[in-house]
Amino acid sequence: MLEPELQGRTISDVRVFREDVIAHPRTVRAFIQRLRGRRDIGILALKRRGKYLIIELTEGRQLIVHLRLSGHLALVAKGGETPKYERVRLGLDDGRYLSFVEPRALGRVYCLLLGEKPQSLAGMRAMGREPIEHGFGGGYLAERFRGRRSKVKAVLLDQRVCCGVGNIYSDEALFRAGIRPTRMAANLTRFEVNALARELRRVLNDGIRWCGTTMDDGRYRRPDGREGSFQSRLAVFGLEGHGCRECGSTIRTETVAGRTSHYCPHCQR
DNA sequence: CTTGTGTCCTGTAGGC
DNA sequence: TGCCTACAGGACACAA
């Protein structure tokens, strides 16, 4: 849990090692100024919206982090080893620092002033419902699927439909719901949509319970450096050529919406 | 409006 | 052994 570690701390130092991960404001100088004002900026709380992590700061400011595919946050002890691929560092008043580690440098960091709504975060404001929030269900999903002319996998990856679901969790939810990723979203029965809504919720809750997915080639880490453990509970993702754990059929892949999609040809129809 | 495609980035894996 | 290419992933700009 990162929040109890950060809550009540103030920011004593900001370093940017890679300029292009700062998405807002436009310059690194302005970004640092927002976090190192005349008075020390304090950390109030941590929140999440879809795939964005929101660090609530004093003076109504927000530090927003998107890890994209290979990023993670590391909380480094005083005198601890500097992480490889460190892009941004937030020094804390207790001598520790929060490090934004992102090997592929695709992740982004934003610092917003009170009430600011930059164009570069339009995607965040247009986000759909959270599958794990109260009120998300087959009714909502069916409404969002209506009139869509895309495959269900493509629609699930659209953050405006439901947020926080990426390639791994969409494949896993589709497997659990028994639906092939190539099915047209608008052609799913209400029974199937209900099952999909339920399994999206379950998969995300399981992902949270098992602290995320650290793949062999991936670098995702928890803030204390430990790996997630959901990868050992995956049913189809990354398992092309393996036997399905339910029926033994060989797991297949197919490119849908530009993404490799994994499915069991027997369990999913 | 919707939908599909290319781009960003870099470590890793696989081919020759 | 070493070079080269393809690939992975999420968001977004852009084209159709």
Side-chain angles (χ1 to χ4, degrees):
Chain A
M1 283 289 289
L2 191 56
E3 187 174 38
E5 303 291 337
L6 297 182
Q7 213 158 28
R9 299 265 69 85
T10 60
I11 297 167
S12 59
D13 183 34
V14 180
R15 295 184 209 184
V16 176
F17 304 108
R18 177 71 178 243
E19 293 197 5
D20 50 6
V21 307
I22 307 301
H24 187 86
R26 287 214 309 279
T27 67
V28 170
R29 169 189 281 269
F31 174 80
I32 292 172
Q33 274 175 354
R34 289 179 176 204
L35 295 169
R36 293 286 297 136
R38 203 165 295 158
R39 273 166 300 192
D40 276 351
I41 301 290
I43 298 172
L44 299 176
L46 263 65
K47 292 176 179 167
R48 180 193 59 77
R49 179 82 178 100
K51 299 173 184 174
Y52 294 88
L53 174 70
I54 304 167
I55 303 177
E56 301 279 3
L57 305 171
T58 50
E59 301 186 28
R61 298 182 190 190
Q62 292 180 319
L63 184 66
I64 300 179
V65 179
H66 195 306
L67 301 175
R68 292 275 180 105
L69 15 141
S70 57
H72 74 272
L73 294 176
L75 186 61
V76 183
K78 199 172 180 177
E81 198 177 337
T82 300
K84 209 175 173 183
Y85 310 114
E86 183 181 33
R87 309 304 188 191
V88 180
R89 178 185 299 189
L90 282 194
L92 305 174
D93 58 352
D94 62 1
R96 296 184 296 175
Y97 60 90
L98 183 67
S99 183
F100 178 51
V101 180
E102 168 54 308
R104 290 180 189 162
L106 286 173
R108 292 290 179 263
V109 180
Y110 311 75
C111 185
L112 306 192
L113 299 175
L114 180 63
E116 195 181 13
K117 291 179 168 55
Q119 185 58 37
S120 60
L121 273 166
M124 186 165 104
R125 278 178 281 124
M127 262 190 303
R129 283 197 190 173
E130 306 267 358
I132 60 174
E133 84 187 340
H134 190 72
F136 179 91
Y140 170 78
L141 210 53
E143 180 195 315
R144 302 312 304 267
F145 282 3
R146 198 174 304 139
R148 300 286 300 229
R149 293 175 211 273
S150 299
K151 294 166 181 169
V152 61
K153 172 67 180 277
V155 177
L156 283 183
L157 293 177
D158 185 341
Q159 301 299 298
R160 293 168 301 181
V161 173
C162 61
C163 61
V165 178
N167 208 29
I168 297 175
Y169 297 108
S170 57
D171 279 4
E172 292 299 311
L174 286 165
F175 171 80
R176 293 186 185 191
I179 301 166
R180 290 203 191 189
T182 47
R183 290 276 301 283
M184 297 304 284
N187 291 348
L188 296 179
T189 65
R190 183 54 196 270
F191 181 83
E192 289 173 318
V193 176
N194 286 348
L196 184 54
R198 184 179 67 240
E199 300 307 332
L200 280 167
R201 176 191 292 264
R202 283 188 58 236
V203 161
L204 289 187
N205 277 322
D206 285 351
I208 292 166
R209 179 175 304 131
W210 302 106
C211 303
T213 311
T214 303
M215 300 299 289
D216 290 344
D217 58 338
R219 300 193 125 77
Y220 171 72
R221 285 283 188 287
R222 298 164 64 186
D224 57 11
R226 292 150 75 195
E227 297 189 350
S229 51
F230 191 64
Q231 62 278 8
S232 64
R233 318 187 97 82
L234 296 171
V236 288
F237 190 88
L239 296 173
E240 182 181 17
H242 288 66
C244 170
R245 68 184 186 191
E246 294 294 327
C247 74
S249 303
T250 304
I251 305 291
R252 291 185 195 160
T253 63
E254 193 163 333
T255 299
V256 183
R259 297 281 165 259
T260 304
S261 301
H262 310 70
Y263 67 97
C264 169
H266 179 260
C267 296
Q268 293 170 259
R269 308 201 166 268

